[in-house]
Amino acid sequence: MNGEGMHNRITGKDYWRSLEQLADTPEFQEYVQKEFPEGASEMRDLVSRRTFLSLMGASLAFAGLAGCRKPVEKILPYVTAPENVIPGVPQHYATTMPLGLEAYGVLVENHEGRPTKIEGNELHPASRGGTNAFIQASILGLYDPDRSPRIVEKGVERSWVDFVTFWRQQQDKLAATGGAGLAVISESFASPTAARLAAALRAKYPQAQWATYEPISDENIFEGITLATGRALRPVYDYAKASVVLALDCDFLKTEADNISAARGFAAARRIASENDQMNRLYAAEGTYSLTGSMADHRLRVASNRIGALAAALALELNRQGLSL
């Protein structure tokens, strides 16, 4: 780059980038000699690009090593090794896992007494070898660092001995009043063992209160069945026998407690084995997109606060056509 410009062989003309290049002044020649014109000559002791990248790579490597440092654990061998336990060889046992008001048979894989994987039990009538995301993720709850490891009294950690001592002091007072003033809060359960213990507590303390609470529950379902039939019943759906399914803001294929059996029954009724078989039809009306809505043959987007009006209008139309719900 100098005052002579650039010659184009095709056109035979000379070209200059600027008037300063054409004038070829001493200031322009000084400008050309500098790769970075503004302040480049003032920084004499620059770190080379290769050195900079090497230092940054080493810094990131050391930061990664510090963040991935293996926690310090004290692992002791068995003093008396249990029978039929070989380190490194997994064992499997069958159990039942409650989920909401459902109970699913599962097979649990464990290593040295530590559960590591859950699969469905093919011999159990509820799961039949299937699981869902909630059952698969439940294994993480056993290793949750935020899981409460101790008993807490008014924000202060206590030991099990403290609780036993406190309970013995309260037993006589509660027995004299029939349990008045005693309240137990638990989550919803379908466990026979938990039901038996709750019944035993009510029998000993008839004045005590036992309340169940969950942020998301099926109370609205039971309340609706009670209003419709006058009895507190639990609905059980057999989707394998349904030719038409209507889901009103209900993601029964994913979020409902019986989604495992529902998905299996729905898939069975959707499977065509011969030319005479007819596939079921799924209609969904919902406010947010769901797995059930994505599987629906026809999906209607409706605000959740308008589902009740839609159900009432649908019932009137079916009655007008001679059908009843």
Side-chain angles (χ1 to χ4, degrees):
M1 183 176 178
N2 50 40
E4 297 180 358
M6 295 177 290
H7 180 75
N8 192 314
R9 296 181 180 180
I10 299 177
T11 62
K13 296 181 180 181
D14 295 331
Y15 296 91
W16 292 268
R17 295 184 178 180
S18 64
L19 295 176
E20 288 78 6
Q21 183 184 7
L22 176 61
D24 199 17
T25 60
E27 292 79 6
F28 178 75
Q29 291 296 333
E30 183 181 357
Y31 176 85
V32 171
Q33 297 300 324
K34 295 181 179 180
E35 183 179 1
F36 303 99
E38 298 180 0
S41 60
E42 298 177 2
M43 302 177 65
R44 300 293 183 183
D45 298 331
L46 291 177
V47 179
S48 66
R49 180 174 179 273
R50 178 175 296 180
T51 304
F52 174 78
L53 293 178
S54 300
L55 292 175
M56 289 300 298
S59 301
L60 292 175
F62 284 125
L65 290 176
C68 299
R69 183 174 54 188
K70 186 177 181 180
V72 178
E73 296 185 14
K74 296 181 180 180
I75 301 177
L76 300 178
Y78 288 117
V79 177
T80 302
E83 296 183 13
N84 302 324
V85 174
I86 302 175
V89 178
Q91 288 186 322
H92 298 80
Y93 62 88
T95 184
T96 302
M97 176 181 174
L99 182 64
L101 296 180
E102 292 286 341
Y104 293 103
V106 295
L107 294 177
V108 182
E109 175 185 332
N110 72 93
H111 293 77
E112 290 77 57
R114 296 180 177 85
T116 56
K117 190 68 170 66
I118 294 180
E119 293 294 346
N121 189 347
E122 296 181 357
L123 301 179
H124 196 276
S127 58
R128 294 184 181 179
T131 59
N132 56 22
F134 303 104
I135 295 178
Q136 293 286 347
S138 64
I139 199 74
L140 302 177
L142 299 175
Y143 308 99
D144 186 1
D146 296 328
R147 184 178 181 180
S148 179
R150 297 179 181 86
I151 300 173
V152 180
E153 179 188 9
K154 297 180 180 180
V156 180
E157 293 185 355
R158 301 295 186 185
S159 64
W160 179 254
V161 177
D162 296 333
F163 172 74
V164 172
T165 303
F166 171 79
W167 178 250
R168 287 176 177 174
Q169 295 173 355
Q170 302 295 323
Q171 263 188 321
D172 296 337
K173 299 178 182 179
L174 294 174
T177 60
L182 174 63
V184 178
I185 301 178
S186 70
E187 60 183 6
S188 301
F189 56 87
S191 170
T193 301
R196 176 176 55 82
L197 294 176
L201 181 68
R202 292 191 183 97
K204 187 173 183 179
Y205 304 107
Q207 300 299 323
Q209 296 183 358
W210 186 297
T212 59
Y213 171 78
E214 287 183 351
I216 301 177
S217 66
D218 295 335
E219 292 182 3
N220 58 333
I221 298 177
F222 300 121
E223 183 177 357
I225 296 295
T226 303
L227 292 175
T229 64
R231 300 171 60 188
L233 302 175
R234 174 173 172 269
V236 178
Y237 303 101
D238 190 353
Y239 292 92
K241 298 180 180 180
S243 58
V244 178
V245 179
L246 172 63
L248 297 177
D249 212 13
C250 174
D251 189 8
F252 67 91
L253 293 177
K254 182 178 179 181
T255 59
E256 296 299 318
D258 58 342
N259 62 77
I260 296 178
S261 57
R264 180 181 295 104
F266 175 76
R270 212 164 182 78
R271 189 177 299 112
I272 297 178
S274 63
E275 297 181 356
N276 298 326
D277 292 342
Q278 293 184 354
M279 187 174 64
N280 63 3
R281 307 296 292 179
L282 173 60
Y283 299 84
E286 56 188 11
T288 58
Y289 198 63
S290 66
L291 178 63
T292 301
S294 66
M295 295 293 294
D297 300 290
H298 300 277
R299 177 181 179 271
L300 178 64
R301 186 177 63 178
V302 182
S304 298
N305 59 356
R306 300 180 61 186
I307 293 295
L310 175 62
L314 180 62
L316 291 176
E317 179 62 22
L318 290 177
N319 288 332
R320 188 185 68 83
Q321 296 183 13
L323 301 175
S324 62
L325 294 178

